Amino acid sequence: LAQVSSKCFDAMARVALCVWGAALGSLYAIKKCLAETCSNPAFPFLDWDPRSQACTCRAHPCHSDAKDGQVVAHSCTGRELPHLSFHYNAEGDLQCDCTKFEQFASEYISKELCPGHRCADEAFPLLDWDGDKGECMCRTHPCHNDDGVKHSCESPDKPHLRYRFDESSKLVCECVKGFKPGRDEF
């Protein structure tokens, strides 16, 4: 997997001139979703749906993991591994696990373009697709170098760092609540 530093990302963000919406996932997918955001806490992931050729807001795939005729809603409650993460193995099967740090991925990229790949380096937690090179890559989180500022979310009420770009292509970093299946919170 290729890795893109935050300095490289900063340059790309300035050139892109606001082609990304609010996100918890891939920049490649979000580039297709001009100024769109996901406000429903049950469907927080902005993603690209190649079948409908449209942007969509997705639920965390591990909140409704259908295996062997049963649907499981995974969650992570331990202090050592508090973040629910997902990837798809090389055969295209969903893999859910708890990780030390948040890993960000588009379901489209994880399942369709990069099955078998995941970003296990905390410095590069964002699985993405390089359309020019035709390869999977791991990127830094855009909010980890916002003009020299590393944003983080320390509040247990809003532990997830989300990013988006506003109409003037300025990066907006914000802390949001987590969604728990069966509860109406975010």
Side-chain angles (χ1 to χ4, degrees), residues 1-174:
L1 292 176
Q3 296 178 334
V4 176
S5 74
S6 55
K7 286 183 181 181
C8 177
F9 173 80
D10 290 344
M12 291 176 0
R14 287 181 179 84
V15 170
L17 298 175
C18 191
V19 292
W20 298 300
L24 289 171
S26 158
L27 296 177
Y28 175 82
I30 292 163
K31 287 180 191 178
K32 297 177 177 290
C33 302
L34 181 62
E36 294 193 38
T37 62
C38 296
S39 57
N40 184 335
F43 302 95
F45 296 99
L46 183 61
D47 205 355
W48 178 250
D49 183 345
R51 289 170 240 342
S52 65
Q53 293 290 296
C55 298
T56 186
C57 293
R58 296 186 193 270
H60 195 299
C62 296
H63 287 169
S64 58
D65 182 12
K67 286 191 177 146
D68 301 322
Q70 295 190 17
V71 177
V72 176
H74 298 276
S75 63
C76 299
T77 57
R79 290 181 188 252
E80 298 277 324
L81 304 170
H83 300 286
L84 181 60
S85 296
F86 74 93
H87 70 282
Y88 289 85
N89 65 21
E91 292 76 37
D93 299 320
L94 177 64
Q95 306 292 301
C96 300
D97 58 358
C98 297
T99 58
K100 181 177 159 184
F101 60 92
E102 284 189 284
Q103 296 174 351
F104 302 91
S106 149
E107 188 170 357
Y108 164 61
I109 291 190
S110 297
K111 189 174 186 177
E112 306 291 329
L113 301 176
C114 298
H117 294 277
R118 71 181 307 179
C119 298
D121 184 341
E122 189 169 3
F124 299 93
L126 178 70
L127 179 63
D128 212 350
W129 175 255
D130 184 327
D132 294 332
K133 293 181 181 177
E135 66 183 22
C136 303
M137 60 191 303
C138 292
R139 293 185 188 273
T140 60
H141 190 295
C143 296
H144 288 175
N145 186 2
D146 178 14
D147 287 330
V149 175
K150 183 176 182 179
H151 296 271
S152 64
C153 298
E154 305 303 325
S155 169
D157 293 339
K158 294 183 177 183
H160 302 287
L161 182 60
R162 182 170 67 179
Y163 65 92
R164 61 186 170 86
F165 291 84
D166 67 14
E167 296 78 27
S168 65
S169 76
K170 181 174 175 16
L171 176 65
V172 176
C173 300
E174 53 199 1

